Amino acid sequence: MLDDFLIRAALAGLALSVAAAPLGCFVVWRRLAYFGEAVSHSAILGVALALALSIAPIWGALAVAAGMAVAVALLDARGLPDAILGTLSHGALAAGLVALSLSGARVDPSAFLFGDVFGVARQDLAGLWMGAALVAALLAWRWRRLLTSTLDADLARATGIDPRREGLILSLALAVAVAMAIEVVGALLTVAMLIIPATAARGLARSPEGMVVAAALIGAASVGLGLAASLAFDTPGGPSIALSAAALFALTLPLRRS
């Protein structure tokens, strides 16, 4: 069954949906869109370094994304302005593209910018689902602490929770999801898959847990619709998935709770 490229693409997209749903909710709650962009864009630099060192791109993407996530989280705790985050985000992307061109590897940068979901190999699926399981397990373990520190930092401190530590944990989980997403939807569309399903779910859910479930379902539906549209109209897989998510968001607008 896994010899079918469409089945592999669907399983890869579902793995990303599992990881992105809870993380996307925290990104929306904490207003971390620029943060997510900085981490996802920096992953291109990691890919370039990995190719230069002849190792799997996902490991380079994970290492650099984790480093950027921790650095930006520490700076953000000191009140880092959005303009600085935006500068870091696009600076990291530019540095990654330049490094990719200098790496000597014969690769198409668009595969890392927009993903190549139909090119996911059998051996890649295990890594994607391991990453999804790691993110889901980590967030389930820290759920109450993360939620409390997100909703009320003062209450979190009063109950013995360190909001900065929880923020770092969330940042590292985000780095794992970014490394996973590079292959599926690419660096430029990773934040879309974090934010759009979560934003759509926010208007439908009655609880934080319900929002996570709704975001996962919307993400999974986006994958299915995007892959179908890509095959039907011969469009790129990653952008088709992101566009499907945007379309589903538009469809949820009349259903949003007041």
Side-chain angles (χ1 to χ4, degrees), residues 11-250:
L11 290 174
L14 290 176
L16 178 60
S17 298
V18 169
L23 286 172
C25 292
F26 280 107
V27 167
V28 169
W29 292 330
R30 292 181 175 227
R31 297 181 176 90
L32 294 178
Y34 266 130
F35 181 97
E37 283 191 359
V39 175
S40 62
H41 289 177
S42 70
I44 293 293
L45 179 58
V47 168
L49 294 176
L51 292 173
L53 296 173
S54 299
I55 61 176
I58 191 171
W59 297 116
L62 177 59
V64 174
M68 175 66 85
V70 171
V72 174
L74 293 175
L75 291 172
D76 188 53
R78 300 181 180 181
L80 188 68
D82 284 347
I84 301 299
L85 276 173
T87 300
L88 285 173
S89 170
H90 294 91
L93 177 60
L97 291 174
V98 170
L100 200 59
S101 69
L102 295 175
S103 68
R106 295 183 177 180
V107 296
D108 181 5
S110 65
F112 300 109
L113 292 175
F114 305 108
D116 184 16
V117 66
F118 291 114
V120 173
R122 293 180 63 181
Q123 59 269 26
D124 297 329
L125 284 176
L128 287 170
W129 277 99
M130 285 177 62
L134 176 63
V135 170
L138 179 62
L139 295 185
W141 173 45
R142 310 294 297 185
W143 176 257
R144 288 298 172 191
R145 291 174 177 269
L146 284 168
L147 190 60
T148 302
S149 61
T150 295
L151 299 179
D152 193 332
D154 292 332
L155 176 61
R157 294 187 188 95
T159 56
I161 300 172
D162 184 353
R164 180 176 297 185
R165 179 183 61 200
E166 301 307 317
L168 286 173
I169 291 172
L170 184 63
S171 300
L172 292 174
L174 183 61
V176 174
V178 164
M180 294 169 55
I182 285 292
E183 194 166 8
V184 181
V185 295
L188 295 184
L189 297 174
T190 296
V191 176
M193 288 306 295
L194 288 168
I195 292 178
I196 297 176
T199 304
R202 189 175 194 176
L204 305 176
R206 297 179 178 273
S207 67
E209 293 80 5
M211 181 172 165
V212 169
V213 172
L217 293 175
I218 292 170
S222 301
V223 170
L225 291 172
L227 294 179
S230 179
L231 291 174
F233 301 107
D234 194 24
T235 54
S240 298
I241 292 172
L243 183 59
S244 296
L248 289 176
F249 168 74

